Every structure is written in structure tokens, then in C-alpha cells.
Amino acid sequence: MNSTRYTVLGVMSGTSLDGVDLAYIRFTKKDNWEYELLDCETIAYESSWVVRLRDAVSQSRDALQELDLLYTEYLARLINDFRKRHPLKDLDIIASHGHTILHQPDQGYTYQIGNLPQLAMLCNTLVVCDFRVEDVALGGQGAPLVPIGDVLLFNNYGACLNIGGFANISFSENDTRIAYDICATNIVLNSLTTKLGFDFDKDGEIAASGTIDQALLHKLNELPFYKQNYPKSLGLEWVKAVVFPVLEQSGLAIEDRIATYTEHMAVQLAHVLKNCKAITPSNGVLVTGGGAYNTHFMQRLEELSGLKITRAAPKMVEFKEALIFGFMGVLRLRNTINVLRSVTGASKDHCAGKLYSP
């Protein structure tokens, strides 16, 4: 396909379990790539699906295969309902990330459900999906994948910082793109706030009301992951095995755990931003992801980093990942590189994504 214009539905489900992001996008190739974010929507997960997805990491492989089929059917239903509400003209592809259940790149394994061939048949549209498995097979981390979009769509910023279930950064250094996960963010905070009956910490109000425990903060900041060199990535397994036990063993009130963990996030991100030479007063940082709405956290990040942190426009905050996975789908159609070895640690740059016809 040699077209220079594509209409794409980007579909993304993040580890924070806030819902499925669907973004209808138009991409145009001129001297550079241009994009238009058109109809966009986040469809919140039903409570039963939140439980299923949160507990899936402990399921058997057979149970996961059954869940994969059910989730593919569920995803197709959400997509088809979205298309009824927002008639999408001349849709070329659906580019879907699926939902990460297992991510163990050091063991050569990553598993995103919802990427079965049935998705194309149920939606009656060409689908590009399952973007991570090839990179892991090539010795990479399978993450982060978004930096290809940062390079080709957002290169006017010194760095791109996304704060979703995990926080990750992407920037250029000596003409090479660097990106990696910094720490777990909303995947931890949201788990804590649910214990208080809230889906998330609105504006960081709970964190602001709690007390930071210096002993717990020190333990969190000393976790070995932060001393590892990139490329590196994180998954739910690491959070359950490492972070949750530290928080639980503290014995603190939930409000104080939230306050302390929010401060921990700000410390880790500020450390990375302060040491990123690509960021200058003239280019700044593009901040996206749900964590960008946490005003208490963002204020602490500014104070600790000494940088002016500017949140992207709301549509970009919420749908940047869906946008870029849509873009990765376009690059896959064009058989051009959409995963960078400098970012993931794979043996080579490559063009990832499985193609399924209806």
C-alpha cells in the first residue's frame, strides 16, 4: 500500500485499567508525517473486567487462552459500538495494542490478549496488532514502543514523558533515540485508592492530605531497578513481587502510603528529568498520560526537578498512546521500521505487528 494518507482506528488498553482508548486518526505523509486526532473516546472497563484483568497474571496458560478469546470478542464489541456512534469514513486499518497480561522479556516472553485473528473478522476490517512479541523474540524488552512516534511526530520536544500505569521517558541523545520505563505510577496509586473506594486520586487530593513516611520513601527509592541501566521495562509482575510487599509491610494508613508513593514517583521522575541533557528551556517536555492530571504530583515534580513541566492538551494527554499505536500500524502497512533497537535492546531495528484480514 503506497498511499500517503491513511485513516486509522488506534486501540489501546493500559495497565492502569481505566479503560480502552479508541482514537480515530488521519495520517498524511508530506515532507514529514502529519496527523489529525478526530473522534476519540475512553470506554471504562466494567468492574468484572477490571477484576479479570487484574487477576489474570496468576492464571494458568489454558485459562489465559480462554481469556484471550473472550477479551478479543469484548474488544470487538467495544470497537463496533464506537463505530456506530462515530461513523468512520474510509477506515484503512484498526491498529490495536491489546492488553498486557504477562511481560517477562528477560525470559523471552510477553503476552498481550485481544490480538487474535477473530478481531479482524468480528470488526470486518484489516487489523494490525501484537506489536511486542517480535521485539522480545529479537532479544529486546518489547517496550517501550511509543518512541518511534516521538521521533517522527513529536521531535520538537526535548523529551516525551508519559505517566500512565508506568511512567516512561523518550529523548534523543547523540542522534540516537533513548527510552525506558522509569517507575510504576498509576498502577500502584489506583490499586491503593480502590481500598478507599475511589478509582483514582483526583488531583492528588489524597496524597496531599496524607503524611510522607521517610523510612518507606527510602526503601522505595533504593529498589534495585532504579540502578539498572537502560534499556529496561516494567510489568505488573514486578509491581506485585516488589512494590506491593514493601507498601504492605510498612503498616501505614492507606492515605500515608499514597502520599509516600506519590512522593516516590516525583523523586524518581525528577531525577531522570534533571539528568536529561536533551531537555532545554527552549524545547521542554511533552507530558501525557492520566498522571498528568494529578496536580499535586505535577507540582512536586516541578519543585523537585526545577523544570517548568507543561501538560499537553487534554486530547493528547489521554490518547497519545492510541495515536502512536495507530501510527505504528501505518508504518507496518508500509513495511517500514516501527521499533527501534536503541530503545528496546533488540538485535536490530524492525517492522513489528501481525496483519489479519477479515
Side-chain angles (χ1 to χ4, degrees):
M1 187 178 290
N2 295 314
S3 172
T4 55
R5 176 171 290 190
Y6 303 84
T7 50
V8 182
L9 181 63
V11 184
M12 175 71 196
S13 172
T15 48
S16 57
L17 294 174
D18 52 354
V20 178
D21 295 334
L22 299 109
Y24 179 42
I25 317 143
R26 182 177 294 115
F27 292 101
T28 306
K29 180 72 167 71
K30 297 181 179 178
D31 291 336
N32 298 301
W33 280 102
E34 298 177 0
Y35 66 88
E36 295 175 81
L37 266 175
L38 304 171
D39 296 316
C40 299
E41 190 175 340
T42 297
I43 302 173
Y45 278 119
E46 301 159 7
S47 57
S48 61
W49 271 108
V50 172
V51 173
R52 279 178 172 179
L53 296 175
R54 184 173 290 151
D55 295 344
V57 67
S58 59
Q59 299 295 310
S60 68
R61 293 293 170 90
D62 288 344
L64 287 181
Q65 289 178 358
E66 181 179 354
L67 181 65
D68 196 351
L69 179 57
L70 291 173
Y71 185 76
T72 300
E73 294 170 348
Y74 174 69
L75 204 56
R77 187 162 65 252
L78 296 185
I79 290 169
N80 289 333
D81 288 346
F82 175 84
R83 294 174 75 174
K84 290 175 184 176
R85 291 191 298 275
H86 308 282
L88 313 183
K89 298 179 181 178
D90 305 319
L91 186 63
D92 293 308
I93 56 165
I94 295 169
S96 179
H97 170 269
H99 184 84
T100 299
I101 293 298
L102 296 171
H103 186 64
Q104 301 164 350
D106 294 341
Q107 299 177 36
Y109 190 75
T110 188
Y111 188 10
Q112 285 72 46
I113 61 172
N115 288 327
L116 298 177
Q118 285 92 328
L119 187 63
M121 293 184 287
L122 292 168
C123 295
N124 194 32
T125 304
L126 181 65
V127 167
V128 185
C129 61
D130 221 2
F131 291 98
R132 299 189 188 273
V133 290
E134 182 178 343
D135 188 76
V136 171
L138 290 169
Q141 290 286 306
L145 300 186
V146 166
I148 187 67
D150 294 340
V151 171
L152 298 176
L153 301 177
F154 301 103
N155 62 1
N156 53 319
Y157 292 94
C160 293
L161 178 66
N162 188 72
I163 309 166
F166 298 90
N168 53 67
I169 191 169
S170 165
F171 58 92
S172 289
E173 186 177 273
N174 300 323
D175 296 323
T176 299
R177 199 69 185 183
I178 304 297
Y180 54 91
D181 285 345
I182 300 173
C183 70
T185 45
N186 292 342
I187 197 170
V188 175
L189 290 184
N190 293 356
S191 176
L192 291 171
T193 58
T194 56
K195 298 179 187 297
L196 299 175
F198 301 101
D199 292 333
F200 59 96
D201 185 7
K202 186 177 185 298
D203 297 328
E205 292 175 355
I206 300 173
S209 70
T211 300
I212 296 169
D213 183 89
Q214 293 300 324
L216 174 59
L217 181 62
H218 178 75
K219 285 182 181 179
L220 291 168
N221 287 332
E222 290 300 309
L223 293 176
F225 176 82
Y226 303 126
K227 296 178 175 64
Q228 294 177 19
N229 294 323
Y230 54 77
K232 57 181 180 176
S233 63
L234 292 167
L236 176 58
E237 301 95 318
W238 180 81
V239 174
K240 286 192 169 186
V242 178
V243 177
F244 286 163
V246 173
L247 292 170
E248 189 66 29
Q249 289 161 15
S250 72
L252 296 172
I254 299 299
E255 292 85 351
D256 296 342
R257 296 184 202 183
I258 292 171
T260 305
Y261 197 83
T262 300
E263 182 72 4
H264 165 65
M265 288 162 41
V267 167
Q268 293 303 321
L269 269 64
H271 174 74
V272 169
L273 293 179
K274 285 194 297 185
N275 288 281
C276 181
K277 296 178 182 178
I279 302 171
T280 68
S282 61
N283 58 30
V285 184
L286 176 66
V287 182
T288 57
Y293 290 125
N294 187 324
T295 51
H296 171 72
F297 163 72
M298 292 292 285
Q299 180 180 342
R300 288 298 294 144
L301 182 57
E302 281 197 344
E303 291 169 353
L304 292 173
S305 68
L307 297 169
K308 178 65 177 175
I309 309 291
T310 304
R311 188 179 73 196
K315 212 172 193 180
M316 186 58 64
V317 167
E318 296 167 27
F319 297 102
K320 178 172 179 267
E321 286 192 297
L323 166 76
I324 293 185
F325 276 100
F327 184 55
M328 289 183 67
V330 168
L331 297 179
R332 173 66 181 86
L333 285 184
R334 295 170 65 90
N335 288 314
T336 56
I337 289 169
N338 61 6
V339 180
L340 304 172
R341 65 184 296 269
S342 65
V343 168
T344 68
S347 58
K348 62 179 181 179
D349 293 340
H350 54 282
C351 182
K354 296 178 182 177
L355 277 169
Y356 296 128
S357 299

